[in-house]
Amino acid sequence: MNWLNAGFEIFGTHVLWTDLVGNIAALATVLLAMRKSMWTWPVQFAGAVLLFAASINAHVTGNALKQVLFAGLAIYGWWAWRRGTQDGGRLAVRPAHWWERSMLIGVMLVGTAVIGVLFYVTGLSWGASVPGPKGMALVAADAYIFVGSAMATWAQGRALVDFWIVWVAVDLVGVPLAFSSGLVVSGAVYGVFFVLVLIGFVKWLREYRTGPLGVAAVAQ
């Protein structure tokens, strides 16, 4: 049996091991990020490799490309957090500056449009083969998840509290798209992500407000 197809049946649905283990690693990444552990990034890298394999097997090219991007951003995040904790210091989290928020929103809007056209013209998105408005909507969702995930991971590497909010926006589209793609585990995990992301946002925001950066901002 091809290892990409290896898995098990549950309630009549074939669950891929790559999808299952990759999503367990992705969940672990969120939990580690809450604690600002350096293990966040190696675990994210490993999960990205497994989910890349699962996405290729399911012919969800946009999601597969997203995993390639995740792997690269995991290397960047590890470097950025390591730099931010030099000399034994704690990683300082903070809200994004106005220009960073403007860039996040702008890149998500423009990037989704550009990547969406690219996915549709090249057929990289599985939605490109679906006729009519439904196909266009699927391509747009694929592109939105790709761009949004990239920006969320970039913001996470910069230790911005806002990265949790970007993930909420991505999950709102990612859950239904994963289920419609047949990646049942991914869809269920996206739902769990949504809850964990909200908890992570509250945790990081509280840490910022009670930390030296937050106290200094209030005092100004």
Side-chain angles (χ1 to χ4, degrees), residues 8-95:
F8 57 94
E9 297 291 325
I10 180 170
F11 301 120
T13 301
H14 185 68
V15 177
L16 299 172
W17 281 114
T18 50
D19 189 27
L20 177 61
V21 179
N23 276 294
I24 289 174
L27 277 175
T29 297
V30 178
L31 295 171
L32 289 167
M34 286 184 191
R35 300 173 60 86
K36 298 187 299 181
S37 169
M38 286 299 294
W39 279 102
T40 298
W41 304 108
V43 172
Q44 176 173 311
F45 185 89
V49 171
L50 291 169
L51 290 176
F52 171 81
S55 298
I56 288 295
N57 191 62
H59 306 293
V60 188
T61 310
N63 195 59
L65 291 175
K66 181 182 73 175
Q67 301 309 325
V68 173
L69 195 62
F70 271 2
L73 287 170
I75 297 173
Y76 162 75
W78 181 84
W79 171 82
W81 280 23
R82 186 170 180 270
R83 182 178 164 188
T85 55
Q86 286 181 341
D87 303 321
R90 279 176 58 87
L91 183 68
V93 301
R94 63 175 176 84

Side-chain angles (χ1 to χ4, degrees), residues 116-117 119-121 123-143 177:
V117 171
F119 279 2
Y120 188 80
V121 171
L124 285 174
S125 171
W126 65 282
S129 61
V130 179
K134 181 180 179 181
M136 293 182 181
L138 291 173
V139 173
D142 223 0
L177 184 64

Side-chain angles (χ1 to χ4, degrees), residues 178-205:
F179 277 118
S180 65
S181 304
L183 295 177
V184 179
V185 175
S186 291
V189 169
Y190 268 126
V192 177
F193 272 161
F194 186 80
V195 176
L196 292 179
V197 163
L198 292 177
I199 295 173
F201 170 69
V202 172
K203 187 176 186 299
W204 273 37
L205 186 61

